[in-house]
Amino acid sequence: MTVSRILTVALVVLLLASGMWWVKANGFLNDTAPVITDEAAGWPSGSGQRHIFLDIAAVDDALIAVGESGQIWRSSDAGESWQSVDSGVSGLLTAVSAASGKELWAVGHRGTVLFSDDAGLNWQQRPPGGLESPDFVALDVAFGSEGHGYIVGADGFLIVTSDGGETWSRQTLPNRYRPSDLNAVAVTPAGRALVVSSEGNVYRQGDDGDDWEALGQVSYRSLNGILILSGGDKWLVYGEGGQIYESADAGANWQQVKSVSKAPYFAGRVLTDGSVVLGGGSGVVVKRTPSGEQFHLDSAQAHGTILAVHERADGNLVVAGEQGLGWSDGMDYRFEGDEYGATGRKRVQQRLDGWLTRQLLAWNNERRSYYSDNEPRIKQWVRATLAPAEHREASHGVFTTGVYQDIRTEIKSLEEGEAGLQVYSLWSPGVYIQKMQSGAGRTLRFPVDMTDDEYDDAERMALVRRVKQAGLDGGLVGPGLATTSFFVTQPQSGEGESGNALPQLATGLFAQPGEERSFSVQGLWSQRLEQVVDATPEEGSADTPASEANEFHGREDFLYTVTRGEQAYGCEEQEVAARTPELEQKLTTLDGVVKTLTVAEQAKGSRAMAKNAHWKWFTADAPSGYQRSEYGEWADYSCVKTLAIVYGAPGSSNIAVALQAEVDEWLSGSGLAWGPGDLEVHAYRLTTAPSVAD
């Protein structure tokens, strides 16, 4: 180490001990503390970018989209903007279909059948009567002419109507073995229905409307959709593993169609010019021209799975899927709210994988015997945000050539230094892209950073795509790719409190005298998370933020966990995961709460994995296939441990007592084996300061 660097280190340590007032005063730090909620960051409350959407239908110059948690959204400007419509249900809606005039039908899990006669402005439940299993899972719905309609679903479920939905009757498909899931239904111009199954079978309705003919097992893998091409006797089916098959003779013979992708296809559309477009996993969009023989990648690709496609009058596409609701301008896809970062499920995944979530879940899974019952647990770390230096031309933000390599090198040197710093960043092993893939038996994970010494434009574009596929934009990577953030801790001391990592961190990040850096420090904050042991406020102090005497001064936010108590008996994992969305809804409406994250969000992916990685099973009340492993850090060795993480409103007081009352009230009517008192609300104080003062 040079003499100048030794002097600089000594100066930095001296400044840190003084609260870093000089560093702040000279403009090296952004004094605005990072926020912990989307709303505080400027995201519109209640917007649709936190949900997946599975289908789109057009009726009376309006578009209707359905999806997660009973969401129905309506657009009257071809998908440029969307407005939420009350569906009256909370389960997963899997499909929507236009019937006649302004009539629409939507279906989903829990036996949900909805009807609208005013182009989707208002909805009413229309449960089919006379069924032995009213809680069926409906996966698709389609209507033809003269009131003929079809609803298909799990385990061979098929009901039909010939009077516009006034009455429905159950029909059975010819199955050689056990009934498979019926994933999609379509109606030909001649009025005959076609159905595809999870076992690769295609079925055709008979001439009399009652009998069905099995056209054979076209594929050994799941088929997810079917399109009626020109003339009505030419059909195309698609599904798992990038499989595409086509028949030119009404299903008598099938030929496999070449495609450039092995991603599963979930959505398809025949465009007005005769082209066919398919959308699928990882945001893949492929297109075949009217005279083409195979599919090619479209010029525009999304970053999350595409589950529905609709063509606008200008020829561009409106899409729905993992990223929520979006549209293409022919060159790229934009999604509702993406100016703030990741959208749809990727925004939720960002929260699930986030730094704070990891810390809270790790604490909840620790055995309390390591700590005194009356002594709070404390964690302390430093959060840093870097941006390109002002003197650098950085058209690609922190991914600009030169800037990216320098930031990456500096952060890796912090990890490899003698101080034993632990760094959580874009380059950490625990930061990855997650993909559901049928046949793998689990969610596949891929590293985000796969760069080597060769960092050219091609690798930069690939890296930016991986960052967005991982849902890191708006999180570890700032909106517009303008910044990158990371967290640094030191191994805990004997008192259970992390050491002060800031001296070495600042030494590495701030430019040395005479040195010109390609990046600058946008913000440097110390954060301290501590459990509030006595969560009950003193009488008359409910409106006063806790811990005024806290030696670690800064802005205070409160977070809470809803945790299984030590005396809670029994564990109904399936039912617990299925019911926590109700708890989420109850707690989020409480004053002082802006967001609730539950174990249900963790379970959804595993539930879909058990069903060929099909997104129409992306719900916590779907059948469980992986027992406790599907809950990850939300469970301990015996059961679900943490049911929910609750984010308090910025500047709000400790509301743990009110939350506990809401949890006990919910338990009383939940039907679970647990009762009031079996779930405990733990309060945590997060203090954020622009420096660390030892």
Side-chain angles (χ1 to χ4, degrees), residues 43-269:
W43 283 56
S45 179
S47 53
Q49 67 270 26
R50 296 190 188 96
H51 302 283
I52 67 168
F53 287 86
L54 288 97
D55 202 7
I56 300 174
V59 61
D60 195 38
D61 295 328
L63 296 180
I64 308 298
V66 300
E68 216 176 351
S69 303
Q71 293 291 313
I72 297 181
W73 287 66
R74 189 178 190 275
S75 174
S76 56
D77 55 10
E80 292 288 339
S81 62
W82 295 85
Q83 296 77 41
S84 176
V85 178
D86 182 17
S87 71
V89 298
S90 59
L92 179 66
L93 296 177
T94 56
V96 60
S97 174
S100 61
K102 297 184 178 182
E103 294 183 351
L104 289 155
W105 292 83
V107 299
H109 286 239
R110 307 178 190 173
T112 300
V113 177
L114 303 177
F115 173 72
S116 172
D117 60 4
D118 58 4
L121 292 172
N122 296 279
W123 294 84
Q124 54 185 291
Q125 297 191 47
R126 284 281 190 89
L131 300 180
E132 294 181 1
S133 302
D135 291 332
F136 58 87
V137 174
L139 299 177
D140 199 12
V141 56
F143 270 78
S145 60
E146 300 179 357
H148 291 277
Y150 308 83
I151 297 176
V152 298
D155 300 322
F157 181 82
L158 167 62
I159 58 176
V160 301
T161 180
S162 58
D163 55 13
E166 292 296 327
T167 60
W168 295 84
S169 60
R170 184 73 187 263
Q171 293 188 356
T172 304
L173 297 180
N175 291 289
R176 187 174 179 182
Y177 303 108
R178 62 177 177 82
S180 57
D181 294 339
L182 306 181
N183 288 333
V185 58
V187 183
T188 69
R192 301 176 73 178
L194 307 174
V195 173
V196 295
S197 80
S198 60
E199 293 184 351
N201 293 302
V202 179
Y203 301 91
R204 178 176 58 193
Q205 187 182 29
D207 292 333
D208 60 4
D210 294 327
D211 296 327
W212 291 78
E213 178 186 0
L215 299 180
Q217 189 173 24
V218 176
S219 171
Y220 289 103
R221 309 184 74 173
S222 176
L223 294 177
N224 300 328
I226 184 166
L227 295 175
I228 312 299
L229 306 182
S230 60
D233 288 335
K234 190 174 183 180
W235 310 334
L236 184 142
V237 297
Y238 52 86
E240 188 182 336
Q243 300 288 300
I244 307 172
Y245 294 88
E246 189 172 33
S247 173
D249 52 12
N253 297 281
W254 294 88
Q255 292 78 39
Q256 187 168 5
V257 181
K258 292 182 180 180
S259 175
V260 295
S261 174
K262 295 299 182 183
Y265 294 118
F266 296 104
R269 178 72 61 173

Side-chain angles (χ1 to χ4, degrees), residues 510-551:
F510 287 105
Q512 309 304 312
E515 180 184 14
E516 190 174 83
R517 287 283 181 92
S518 64
F519 63 88
S520 62
V521 181
Q522 178 89 359
L524 194 61
W525 304 273
S526 178
Q527 293 185 303
R528 176 188 179 107
L529 182 68
E530 58 182 316
Q531 183 178 359
V532 181
V533 174
D534 183 3
T536 305
E538 296 293 334
E539 184 177 357
S541 65
D543 296 329
T544 303
S547 188
E548 293 289 352
N550 184 4
E551 294 180 357

Side-chain angles (χ1 to χ4, degrees), residues 36-37 40 532 537 541-548 554-560 590-595 646-656 659 683-686:
I36 65 170
T37 62
V532 181
S541 65
D543 296 329
T544 303
S547 188
E548 293 289 352
R555 193 194 72 194
E556 292 186 352
D557 294 294
F558 281 97
L559 302 97
Y560 313 86
L590 193 66
D591 288 343
V593 175
V594 293
K595 181 175 289 300
V646 181
Y647 297 83
S652 65
S653 304
N654 182 355
I655 58 170
L659 285 170
Y684 301 87
R685 179 188 303 109
L686 177 68

Side-chain angles (χ1 to χ4, degrees), residues 215-475:
L215 299 180
Q217 189 173 24
V218 176
S219 171
Y220 289 103
R221 309 184 74 173
S222 176
L223 294 177
N224 300 328
I226 184 166
L227 295 175
I228 312 299
L229 306 182
S230 60
D233 288 335
K234 190 174 183 180
W235 310 334
L236 184 142
V237 297
Y238 52 86
E240 188 182 336
Q243 300 288 300
I244 307 172
Y245 294 88
E246 189 172 33
S247 173
D249 52 12
N253 297 281
W254 294 88
Q255 292 78 39
Q256 187 168 5
V257 181
K258 292 182 180 180
S259 175
V260 295
S261 174
K262 295 299 182 183
Y265 294 118
F266 296 104
R269 178 72 61 173
V270 180
L271 305 183
T272 53
D273 67 355
S275 299
V276 179
V277 62
L278 301 177
S282 303
V284 168
V285 179
V286 298
K287 184 181 289 187
R288 186 181 69 177
T289 63
S291 59
E293 295 184 356
Q294 68 182 58
F295 285 82
H296 299 277
L297 285 175
D298 195 23
S299 57
Q301 300 289 303
H303 300 111
T305 298
I306 299 295
L307 300 174
V309 178
H310 177 79
E311 184 184 15
R312 302 199 321 184
D314 61 5
N316 289 321
L317 300 178
V318 177
V319 296
E322 186 182 4
Q323 291 177 264
L325 297 169
W327 63 95
S328 167
D329 59 8
M331 297 297 294
D332 197 6
Y333 281 93
R334 295 296 309 275
F335 286 83
E336 175 96 359
D338 64 3
E339 63 269 29
Y340 303 103
T343 59
R345 173 64 186 180
K346 293 190 177 297
R347 191 67 179 183
V348 176
Q349 194 65 51
Q350 184 182 114
R351 181 77 66 189
L352 286 170
D353 296 335
W355 175 258
L356 274 175
T357 302
R358 290 169 182 256
Q359 307 311 307
L360 292 170
L361 293 180
W363 255 348
N364 281 346
N365 283 332
E366 287 177 354
R367 292 183 178 273
R368 188 58 178 162
S369 58
Y370 285 110
Y371 300 92
S372 166
D373 288 339
N374 296 315
E375 183 176 339
R377 290 178 283 187
I378 298 172
K379 291 188 178 185
Q380 188 168 309
W381 59 82
V382 172
R383 171 173 173 161
T385 299
L386 306 180
E390 291 185 1
H391 64 82
R392 286 295 300 261
E393 189 282 323
S395 57
H396 303 294
V398 292
F399 294 97
T400 300
T401 301
V403 177
Y404 176 79
Q405 295 100 311
D406 289 350
I407 292 177
R408 182 173 182 261
T409 298
E410 192 61 58
I411 291 180
K412 285 188 172 294
S413 70
L414 290 172
E415 294 179 304
E416 298 166 359
E418 297 180 357
L421 301 182
Q422 298 169 349
V423 182
Y424 178 72
S425 71
L426 171 64
W427 300 273
S428 298
V431 177
Y432 38 70
I433 303 168
Q434 300 190 61
K435 294 183 180 181
M436 293 196 304
Q437 181 167 322
S438 177
R442 58 186 174 85
T443 301
L444 300 181
R445 296 175 175 179
F446 304 91
V448 174
D449 178 40
M450 295 188 288
T451 59
D452 50 27
D453 294 336
E454 299 296 327
Y455 184 75
D456 53 18
D457 286 344
E459 174 54 32
R460 175 186 53 75
M461 289 188 290
L463 176 60
V464 169
R465 178 168 175 79
R466 292 196 296 270
V467 164
K468 293 188 175 183
Q469 286 180 323
L472 300 179
D473 47 326

